Amino acid sequence: MTIVSSGPVARALQSFDSRSWLPTLGCPALVVAGEHDTVTPLRHAHELAALLPGAKLHTLPYAGHWLVATHTPELLAIVEPWLATQEARA
């Protein structure tokens, strides 16, 4: 097993900027963010949702970054109904 430093990955993530092409996407989008996310600030979720045409934004109160692990029921309550509406469109 090879252990790889996370430094290069973190730098790549910090330099990645999709803002210029997000408005061109034509697929449905759901943005879910934790109110107290210190890894990806809430303002980034707002910006992402504003740039994606027709995106839905949901903020989970009292949640941080790792929503899947810390707020699973609340996240599912948002994602599952949204997915159902997408399946109905297909």
Side-chain angles (χ1 to χ4, degrees):
M1 178 174 160
T2 304
I3 298 175
V4 179
S5 169
S6 63
V9 174
R11 283 189 294 282
L13 287 172
Q14 288 175 334
S15 66
F16 180 76
D17 187 356
S18 60
R19 290 175 290 184
S20 65
W21 53 265
L22 286 177
T24 68
L25 296 178
C27 59
L30 174 65
V31 179
V32 183
E35 178 184 33
H36 299 293
D37 188 339
T38 58
V39 177
T40 306
L42 190 53
R43 64 183 163 80
H44 290 216
H46 283 275
E47 182 177 13
L48 180 63
L51 289 169
L52 287 164
K56 303 286 184 197
L57 172 64
H58 288 273
T59 303
L60 285 175
Y62 311 109
H65 187 71
W66 201 12
L67 301 175
V68 172
T70 61
H71 290 75
T72 307
E74 296 93 333
L75 183 59
L76 287 174
I78 293 167
V79 173
E80 288 180 333
W82 184 83
L83 283 175
T85 66
Q86 302 313 306
E87 292 169 2
R89 288 181 174 179

